[in-house]
């Protein structure tokens, strides 16, 4: 089987889409019955995965902001030589000459356009209906995402599939970088969608009510400004991957009350390092964490305060969540994701 995969997303910043693309490719390539992969992108790639491909195809967009248009045209010309072609994010507006696959990661640009780049919000509203109608198979990374897809677009349910993503437990090197900050809880805030205003507000309410030496470390930006003047809240802008992993591993808990997630890597990664998590009841998060996390209603003021207090005072709760989390994350593997994706390709071949 000859499979074309658009790999723009692994050539740029390390995003969730990029991680998905590289991981599912690597693990499909590792299978005994691996297809012949043709990787398609707009610049020469340096990732080792290109060396494992049957062929690398590079297109040059004349207008950079319209790269997706040139990708469509290039892939159309290539598709007659392929058995399946897969675009792992923006999809194709053009009908290809072989079955075409789309990965639909989340409905943020539709459900929360205020948290999405304007270009994505416009694309998902104007272009994605055609992309969905053209796709022969649509891979979703959770049941919640599949439900959102079917709610917002005229997709054929029989052409939509759920293939959960995987988690690789990171190697934790403890160099004592953050021991002077302990005890602390951790929050992430690379976008407004992570709901950092709620997190900081609830944490400071907890501290004002209960005192103690617990601190909150925020990685990213405090868009709310609520941390200003607080000595118990620290905002870190950027950390190398190894330092970030060490920071997670040393936390009492990961606070992740996001407005919406199509999947949600951070809670599962925290679980793999033995860190309890508190997540919101939105998007796919309850589905992904199961009973291995505390879940809060972010519309109810005080819900996170109560969860933090429970975690710190209820005997055996933290240990129970660590044990459940250790089992939960093991159910999400890239090997399963790769095999599920390959099965979808094979189904399109009849």
């Amino acid at each position: 089987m000859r499979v074309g995969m658009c790999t723009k997303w692994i050539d740029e910043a390390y995003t969730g889409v990029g991680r998905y693309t590289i991981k599912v490719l690597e693990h499909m390539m590792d299978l005994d019955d691996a297809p012949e992969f043709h990787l398609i992108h707009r610049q020469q790639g340096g990732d080792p995965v290109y060396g494992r491909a049957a062929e690398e195809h590079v297109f040059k967009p004349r207008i950079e902001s319209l790269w997706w248009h040139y990708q469509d045209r290039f892939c159309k010309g290539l598709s007659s030589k392929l058995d399946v072609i897969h675009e792992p994010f923006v999809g194709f507006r053009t009908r290809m000459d072989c079955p075409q696959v789309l990965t639909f990661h989340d409905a943020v640009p539709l459900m929360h356009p205020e948290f999405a780049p304007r270009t994505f919000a416009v694309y998902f509203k104007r272009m994605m209906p055609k992309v969905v109608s053209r796709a022969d198979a649509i891979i979703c990374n959770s049941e919640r995402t599949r439900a959102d897809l079917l709610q917002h677009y005229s997709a054929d349910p029989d052409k939509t599939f759920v293939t959960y993503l995987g988690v690789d437990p990171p190697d934790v090197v403890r160099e004592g970088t953050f021991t002077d900050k302990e005890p602390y809880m951790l929050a992430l805030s690379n976008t407004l969608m992570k709901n950092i205003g709620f997190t900081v507000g609830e944490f400071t309410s907890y501290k004002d009510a209960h005192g103690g030496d617990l601190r909150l470390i925020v990685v990213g930006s405090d868009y709310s400004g609520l941390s200003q003047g607080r000595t118990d809240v620290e905002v870190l802008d950027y950390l190398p991957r190894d330092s970030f992993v060490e920071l997670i591993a040393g936390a009492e808990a990961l606070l992740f009350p996001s407005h919406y997630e199509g999947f949600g890597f951070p809670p599962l990664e925290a679980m793999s390092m033995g860190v309890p998590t508190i997540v919101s009841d939105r998007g796919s998060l309850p589905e992904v964490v199961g009973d291995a996390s505390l879940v809060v209603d972010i519309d109810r003021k005080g819900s996170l305060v109560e969860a933090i207090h429970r975690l710190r005072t209820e005997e055996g709760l933290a240990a129970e969540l660590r044990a459940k989390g250790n089992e939960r994350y093991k159910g999400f593997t890239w090997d399963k994701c790769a095999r599920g994706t390959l099965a979808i390709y094979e189904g399109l071949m009849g």
Side-chain angles (χ1 to χ4, degrees):
M1 187 192 325
R2 292 162 298 177
V3 176
M5 174 74 85
C6 296
T7 56
K8 165 193 183 295
W9 311 104
I10 67 176
D11 299 334
E12 301 176 359
Y14 192 70
T15 62
V17 177
R19 183 197 304 198
Y20 162 76
T21 306
I22 189 67
K23 289 295 184 181
V24 75
L25 260 177
E26 287 176 340
H27 284 263
M28 281 195 289
M29 288 176 170
D30 288 341
L31 298 175
D32 292 337
D33 52 349
E36 175 185 295
F37 280 101
H38 294 253
L39 306 187
I40 306 156
H41 56 145
R42 60 179 178 169
Q43 62 189 39
Q44 208 69 29
D47 194 278
V49 75
Y50 289 105
R52 302 178 63 187
E55 196 167 350
E56 182 180 357
H57 306 269
V58 180
F59 67 94
K60 301 290 185 182
R62 292 173 58 189
I63 303 173
E64 189 61 28
S65 61
L66 296 177
W67 65 266
W68 46 269
H69 172 70
Y70 291 93
Q71 177 176 272
D72 264 28
R73 292 174 58 183
F74 185 84
C75 289
K76 172 67 174 178
L78 188 64
S79 62
S80 62
K81 303 173 184 177
L82 300 171
D83 297 306
V84 175
I85 191 164
H86 186 174
E87 214 301 327
F89 185 39
V90 297
F92 302 111
R93 288 141 306 283
T94 303
R95 164 51 64 186
M96 299 291 152
D97 294 327
C98 66
Q100 54 205 71
V101 178
L102 163 71
T103 300
F104 190 81
H105 295 272
D106 60 59
V108 169
L110 292 172
M111 300 177 68
H112 293 286
E114 69 274 20
F115 301 139
R118 185 178 180 277
T119 52
F120 282 178
V122 171
Y123 187 91
F124 271 63
K125 183 177 181 179
R126 297 181 182 176
M127 302 290 191
M128 194 58 81
K130 181 178 287 188
V131 170
V132 168
S133 70
R134 294 278 195 269
D136 296 290
I138 303 174
I139 299 173
C140 301
N141 52 25
S142 67
E143 292 289 353
R144 177 70 264 168
T145 297
R146 180 176 182 269
D148 292 339
L149 169 74
L150 295 175
Q151 176 184 348
H152 291 280
Y153 297 112
S154 299
D156 182 347
D158 292 336
K159 293 182 178 180
T160 61
F161 306 88
V162 173
T163 303
Y164 289 110
L165 309 186
V167 176
D168 290 327
D171 294 326
V172 181
V173 179
R174 297 185 182 274
E175 297 183 346
T177 310
F178 305 104
T179 52
D180 63 324
K181 303 181 186 300
E182 296 175 355
Y184 63 86
M185 291 185 172
L186 179 66
L188 309 180
S189 182
N190 59 326
T191 69
L192 288 167
M193 191 174 67
K194 302 307 181 191
N195 203 12
I196 195 61
F198 175 80
T199 306
V200 175
E202 293 281 289
F203 178 83
T204 54
S205 293
Y206 167 81
K207 284 298 301 291
D208 292 344
H210 300 283
D213 57 355
L214 182 66
R215 306 176 72 195
L216 176 67
I217 297 180
V218 177
V219 177
S221 299
D222 176 13
Y223 298 99
S224 68
L226 294 176
S227 63
Q228 294 183 8
R230 301 284 309 204
T231 59
D232 51 4
V233 180
E234 182 176 357
V235 181
L236 302 178
D237 183 20
Y238 168 80
L239 290 173
R241 177 66 178 170
D242 289 347
S243 297
F244 180 58
V245 168
E246 184 182 1
L247 183 66
I248 297 175
E252 276 198 16
L254 172 70
L255 308 183
F256 201 72
S258 181
H259 285 287
Y260 179 94
E261 296 290 331
F263 182 71
F265 280 115
L268 289 176
E269 286 192 328
M271 289 177 186
S272 77
M273 290 181 266
V275 177
T277 62
I278 304 175
V279 305
S280 72
D281 58 352
R282 303 302 167 88
S284 68
L285 287 172
E287 174 186 347
V288 169
V289 301
D291 67 349
S293 175
L294 296 182
V295 180
V296 299
D297 176 3
I298 58 176
D299 283 337
R300 186 171 68 83
K301 186 177 180 180
S303 60
L304 184 55
V305 175
E306 294 169 6
I308 293 172
H309 187 60
R310 278 191 63 199
L311 187 62
R312 302 203 86 205
T313 60
E314 193 170 310
E315 186 176 355
L317 178 58
E320 178 186 345
L321 291 177
R322 290 189 188 96
K324 287 183 175 180
N326 185 57
E327 293 303 314
R328 185 68 182 176
Y329 88 85
K330 293 175 182 176
F332 297 87
T333 71
W334 287 113
D335 181 68
K336 284 184 182 179
C337 183
R339 292 181 186 278
T341 303
L342 183 56
I344 292 167
Y345 294 166
E346 291 171 342
L348 294 174
M349 298 290 294

